[in-house]
Amino acid sequence: MRRTTTFGTIVVALTAGVSVVAGPAHAATTELFVNNTVACSDAGTGSQAQPFCTLAAASTTATAGQTVKVTGVYDEHLTIARSGTPGSPITFRSDGDDASYANLTGTNAGITVDGQHDVAVVGFRVQGDATGPAVDLANSTRLVVERVELLAPAAGASPRQGVRVAAVTDSALTKVRVLRDVRPAASLDAATQRVVLTSWYVGAPEGNATGVEVLGTRNSVIRSGFSGTTAGIKVGPGATDTVVASNIFSSTLGAGIENADATGTAITNNTVYKTCGTGIRVAGASTGVSVQNNYLSWPSGPSPATCAQPGAGIGVHDSAVSGTLVDYNTVVSASGRSPYFWNGPVATLAAFRTASGQGAHDADSFGANIDSANSAAPGWQRDYDGKTPEDNPAVPNVGAGPIAYADRGARESTRGPSAYLELRQRPGGEVVADASNSTAGWSPTLSFTFDFGDGTVVTQATPVATHTYASRYGRTVTLTLKNGNGATSTVTKSISAGDGYIPTGPVRVLDTRERIGVETTTPVAPGGTLVLPVTGRAGVPATGVTAVTMNVTVTQPTRDGFLTVYPDGETPPNASNLNWTPGLTVPNLVVVSVVNGKVAFRNTSPGTVHVVADLVGYHSADGGGIFASLGPVRVLDTRERIGVDTTTPVAPGGTLVLPVAGRVGVPATGVTAVTMNVTVTEPTRDGFLTVYPDGKATPNASNLNWTPGLTVPNLVVVPVVNGEVAFRNTSAGTVHVIADIVGYHSNGVGDVFHPQSPYRALDTRSGIGADRNTPVPPGGSLDLDLRGLTWQGATAVVLNVTVTEPTAPGFLTVAGNGDKPNASNLNWRPGQTVPNLVVVPLERVDGIARFYNTSPGSVHVVADVVGYYGS
């Protein structure tokens, strides 16, 4: 089929012209201004400070390379009587963004360019009762008309022609909207060549004679919409090599597309529906016509019964049957309407193939449109929305040409990207934005744009970006994905600054018996408060510390009571860390926020008590390790030969070394500390256990204290050296040791610590956090809803858990929502009150911490939130 110049060549050339108009790169480019809403003068220079009052004044002044910016409403006709030069056009445009318009109104409203070249008109609205064409382009070349609206005249005014194009060459008319009864919307005469109409919308009332009439040579109407016209597009006698492609036609009274006595017309990838007349009509002596990849249907009115002359879907008349190619179309016919006409009505696709020898790849159902077009068809290009083909992986590729998955009709079926963003952080302000779990849709993702909300925007081809914030506040990241078709997907997430963990020691920082951390050996008085400086000592820096982790032990209490550890200067919270009865020695791990470089210890007992604190680490806003929760999972049980080779208890004064790196989910390298719930059981003599880094000297510190026969648990955070930790039994008797790992710290990117002022989240005695004020029954469980934390990004919560008023021996296991692990957190005897710090992994969706009572008796449970880990 004769195509002397490819359509792509024309489009590229004209698109280049549009780009030049939008922002010509010319050293001498200047701007003129027309603005009749301010003090103006036609006798001036048209500066922004003193603009012209009329368009006529600017038209007689503008020279090549100048842009005339127009503001206001003008009762005049814009006539451009001067020319630009290639690459330096004269441009008249509305002064504003790409949605702004300058307005022409009155009895003379319109635009005329006659006998000129290299001229652009952008952003004008024409509304008035003038006669003659609203836009008249004649005897000119290299014109660009963009964003022009033709609005309805006053009631009762006579119809007028919309856009007349006469003897115009190598020009582009784009984004023209015709919203009035014009006769026709546009006409291109026989002397017009290589003009492209694209992105038009013609929505005039019924009675509009024709949308676009095309004569001349190698003109094109593409990616435009037509509704309410008598005919959408007419390609008339003498026209050659016209392209009508990727247009949408609806509710036309006549044909959607009519080709009469024209040669070489490419009618490609159009969508035609709800027409009264024939959807695509080829008639007269037309030759060399290609009708391919079109989609025609009548999903709802007008029905054939309401049309004066209902036509077929595709109709080929007269001698055109010998020179027209029909293939790769989909025609879904309405009842009473012939899908085809081949010099006579044809009732079915099969009958059409028999009568014409055509339509071998035509179809009669909408589902056949996907991945089935001929991308080698004349005039084939991007779709109505400017999209390129996308391959639907669920549909076989049965099309032809270089892209076998192109679709039929004006709109390509696409699936855009779906943005998914995860934020992780490293202490010190570094945030990693990870879009790896985003989906590209059917077209590959070309770019990931990360807007970090502080002025930093990164666009790249890879899905992971890293940024370091200077502030702890306002950390919000917006991700925008863009695929090859320009489709985008955006998601925004915020992240709260958290803290890293730095293990130190353990090292004793307080002992009221030994004058460590205090000036006397006096116990804490009844109802008394002890304030302990913690920053700037024992390896803790003077600044940047947000919380400390200490193993706190109370000993020699004279009356029942409990200890609350809290930030200095704050009101003592309704929370407890350690509970005791007279004469008992009780340890518990404590994580407490630091204020003024200090923490406070409040003795609520009516008796005195000695307090011992061993610092095991601190949290810092400036750096440190992140936390990853595990389990809990059992790694040591000397009774069951777990983690050891025998069932022998730890000997008097003995040390047990336990490998932890590379086991039960703990990485083999990079681990700085592990968090374990350690339990001693079956001790034969009084004593205490010290857990410390392997290879280091045994520190002056304790983690668990016991008397014979007692089972005692405590949470331990211990630095890891050589991939191992050590357990030292200081007792004169033997003891069995159990350890359940609940997480580890490393120097990677992940969950950081968010300290909280302690608050009570659960108390079964009073109904706080529970739907009852009754104890947990024998063998029962209780769920604590912590979704308020998971909505903040929590992946694990740090709770100080206390059991009280147990009626029988037992132990408590605290875990997330899942299978009950083989682990314990608190062990008790009847009547005991026992505390322990617990780290519980949380599912992001349900945010449940579940408390399992394994005792044959009931028990009350109290839980205080002291912080959480998360991004």
Side-chain angles (χ1 to χ4, degrees):
M1 186 169 295
R2 183 167 58 89
R3 311 295 302 172
T4 55
T5 302
T6 65
F7 176 73
T9 303
I10 298 173
V11 172
V12 168
L14 292 174
T15 302
V18 173
S19 298
V20 169
V21 171
H26 192 277
T29 296
T30 58
E31 294 179 337
L32 301 177
F33 294 87
V34 180
N35 188 345
N36 59 10
T37 67
V38 298
C40 58
S41 172
D42 284 348
T45 60
S47 66
Q48 190 169 18
Q50 189 180 48
F52 293 127
C53 297
T54 64
L55 299 170
S59 179
T60 58
T61 303
T63 58
Q66 288 190 315
T67 296
V68 179
K69 293 188 172 182
V70 182
T71 301
V73 179
Y74 296 85
D75 185 3
E76 64 176 302
H77 194 100
L78 172 60
T79 299
I80 301 177
R82 311 184 85 177
S83 294
T85 60
S88 296
I90 292 176
T91 301
F92 275 72
R93 68 175 303 139
S94 59
D95 189 6
D97 59 23
D98 287 342
S100 66
Y101 289 88
N103 292 275
L104 306 179
T105 188
T107 58
N108 197 31
I111 300 170
T112 296
V113 181
D114 191 350
Q116 309 303 324
H117 57 84
D118 300 291
V119 171
V121 179
V122 183
F124 279 80
R125 184 177 282 132
V126 180
Q127 183 176 26
D129 301 334
T131 59
V135 177
D136 197 0
L137 311 175
N139 307 304
S140 300
T141 188
R142 294 189 298 278
L143 305 183
V144 171
V145 175
E146 181 178 353
R147 280 199 308 109
V148 170
E149 285 193 354
L150 309 183
L151 302 184
S158 299
R160 67 186 296 194
Q161 188 172 354
V163 180
R164 183 178 81 104
V165 184
V168 173
T169 60
D170 301 308
S171 298
L173 286 73
T174 183
K175 297 181 181 178
V176 176
R177 291 171 56 85
V178 181
L179 305 174
R180 61 179 294 166
D181 185 7
V182 292
R183 307 287 180 88
S187 63
L188 283 65
D189 77 351
T192 293
Q193 301 181 42
R194 299 178 301 279
V195 170
V196 177
L197 276 61
T198 183
S199 301
W200 280 51
Y201 173 72
V202 180
E206 292 184 359
N208 181 2
T210 301
V212 175
E213 294 178 348
V214 181
L215 303 175
T217 302
R218 292 165 59 195
N219 298 303
S220 304
V221 183
I222 60 174
R223 292 194 287 278
S224 296
F226 300 85
S227 177
T229 59
T230 298
I233 296 175
K234 280 188 176 181
V235 183
T240 59
D241 295 331
T242 304
V243 173
V244 179
S246 298
N247 302 292
I248 297 177
F249 304 84
S250 68
S251 301
T252 59
L253 297 179
I257 302 168
E258 182 172 338
N259 189 88
D261 301 308
T263 301
T265 305
I267 303 173
T268 307
N269 279 96
N270 299 283
T271 293
V272 184
Y273 64 102
K274 301 182 184 179
T275 60
C276 269
T278 297
I280 297 174
R281 188 176 191 273
V282 183
S286 298
T287 61
V289 178
S290 168
V291 181
Q292 297 192 62
N293 302 337
N294 301 285
Y295 171 53
L296 302 97
S297 73
W298 290 263
S300 61
S303 69
T306 63
C307 293
Q309 294 180 331
I314 296 176
V316 184
H317 302 251
D318 312 319
S319 63
V321 295
S322 63
T324 301
L325 171 64
V326 178
D327 206 1
Y328 291 95
N329 304 287
T330 299
V331 183
V332 182
S333 181
S335 175
R337 182 186 293 268
S338 297
Y340 297 91
F341 185 98
W342 192 261
N343 268 342
V346 182
T348 65
L349 173 57
F352 171 66
R353 289 171 177 162
T354 299
S356 66
Q358 304 261 11
H361 301 93
D362 275 19
D364 55 9
S365 66
F366 170 77
N369 284 352
I370 310 302
D371 294 358
S372 62
N374 177 16
S375 60
W380 181 87
Q381 61 198 269
R382 290 175 178 263
D383 80 345
Y384 179 85
D385 300 306
K387 296 178 180 177
T388 57
E390 293 184 10
D391 185 6
N392 184 336
V395 177
N397 298 334
V398 296
I403 304 176
Y405 51 82
D407 293 348
R408 304 179 187 190
R411 276 200 164 104
E412 176 75 17
S413 178
T414 63
R415 178 168 294 173
S418 179
Y420 182 85
L421 179 63
E422 290 185 354
L423 300 180
R424 301 187 302 273
Q425 58 183 310
R426 182 178 285 115
E430 182 180 275
V431 171
V432 176
D434 189 345
S436 298
N437 288 328
S438 300
T439 56
W442 295 342
S443 181
T445 295
L446 294 180
S447 66
F448 299 81
T449 297
F450 300 89
D451 185 340
F452 289 97
D454 62 353
T456 301
V457 179
V458 177
T459 298
Q460 58 189 43
T462 52
V464 180
T466 301
H467 175 62
T468 299
Y469 286 92
S471 170
R472 287 177 63 84
Y473 306 100
R475 298 182 178 185
T476 298
V477 183
T478 298
L479 163 70
T480 300
L481 268 64
K482 184 177 181 180
N483 73 4
N485 262 327
T488 61
S489 178
T490 299
V491 64
T492 298
K493 284 191 175 182
S494 297
I495 191 168
S496 299
D499 307 317
Y501 180 76
I502 298 94
T504 60
V507 58
R508 185 146 292 176
V509 292
L510 173 67
D511 191 338
T512 56
R513 304 167 305 177
E514 301 291 339
R515 201 178 289 163
I516 297 174
V518 289
E519 296 179 354
T520 70
T521 57
T522 306
V524 182
T529 299
L530 185 156
V531 176
L532 178 69
V534 291
T535 58
R537 55 182 302 206
V540 179
T543 60
V545 177
T546 59
V548 290
T549 301
M550 301 181 293
N551 197 75
V552 178
T553 305
V554 293
T555 190
Q556 302 174 24
T558 59
R559 298 283 296 275
D560 291 350
F562 64 89
L563 189 76
T564 300
V565 189
Y566 59 99
D568 174 51
E570 294 188 0
T571 301
N574 178 30
S576 65
N577 297 93
L578 295 97
N579 301 67
W580 62 78
T581 55
L584 198 63
T585 296
V586 179
N588 197 13
L589 193 70
V590 171
V591 178
V592 57
S593 297
V594 174
V595 175
N596 305 320
K598 304 170 186 176
V599 297
F601 300 78
R602 173 82 169 182
N603 171 21
T604 64
S605 170
T608 61
V609 66
H610 278 291
V611 181
V612 181
D614 299 318
L615 182 75
V616 296
Y618 65 92
H619 291 93
S620 172
D622 299 329
I626 55 92
F627 180 77
S629 58
L630 292 173
V633 58
R634 185 145 292 176
V635 291
L636 174 66
D637 190 338
T638 56
R639 305 167 306 174
E640 302 290 339
R641 202 176 286 163
I642 297 174
V644 289
D645 295 331
T646 69
T647 57
T648 306
V650 182
T655 299
L656 184 156
V657 176
L658 177 69
V660 291
R663 299 183 59 196
V664 298
V666 179
T669 59
V671 177
T672 58
V674 291
T675 300
M676 302 182 292
N677 196 73
V678 178
T679 304
V680 292
T681 189
E682 303 176 22
T684 58
R685 301 284 294 274
D686 291 350
F688 64 88
L689 188 76
T690 299
V691 189
Y692 59 99
D694 175 53
K696 299 290 186 178
T698 306
N700 176 30
S702 66
N703 298 92
L704 296 96
N705 301 68
W706 62 79
T707 56
L710 197 65
T711 296
V712 179
N714 199 14
L715 195 70
V716 172
V717 181
V718 57
V720 174
V721 175
N722 304 321
E724 299 173 326
V725 296
F727 301 78
R728 174 78 170 185
N729 172 21
T730 63
S731 170
T734 61
V735 66
H736 279 291
V737 182
I738 304 163
D740 302 314
I741 286 188
V742 297
Y744 64 88
H745 294 271
S746 70
N747 289 324
V749 176
D751 295 336
V752 292
F753 185 65
H754 300 262
Q756 307 271 290
S757 293
Y759 67 89
R760 185 140 293 173
L762 174 67
D763 191 337
T764 58
R765 302 169 301 179
S766 60
I768 296 174
D771 58 3
R772 57 178 182 256
N773 55 359
T774 57
V776 183
S781 64
L782 182 149
D783 285 352
L784 176 61
D785 186 347
L786 293 170
R787 282 176 293 182
L789 293 178
T790 58
W791 290 339
Q792 298 178 54
T795 57
V797 62
V798 184
L799 300 171
N800 196 77
V801 179
T802 303
V803 292
T804 191
E805 303 176 24
T807 60
F811 65 88
L812 190 77
T813 299
V814 190
N817 186 10
D819 295 335
K820 178 184 176 183
N822 176 30
S824 65
N825 297 94
L826 294 96
N827 301 67
W828 63 79
R829 291 177 177 175
Q832 269 191 308
T833 297
V834 179
N836 197 13
L837 198 68
V838 174
V839 179
V840 186
L842 296 176
E843 294 291 337
R844 289 184 183 271
V845 176
D846 56 42
I848 294 296
R850 183 163 293 158
F851 298 77
Y852 297 92
N853 173 22
T854 62
S855 169
S858 62
V859 65
H860 278 293
V861 181
V862 181
D864 300 320
V865 174
V866 299
Y868 68 88
Y869 290 99
S871 290

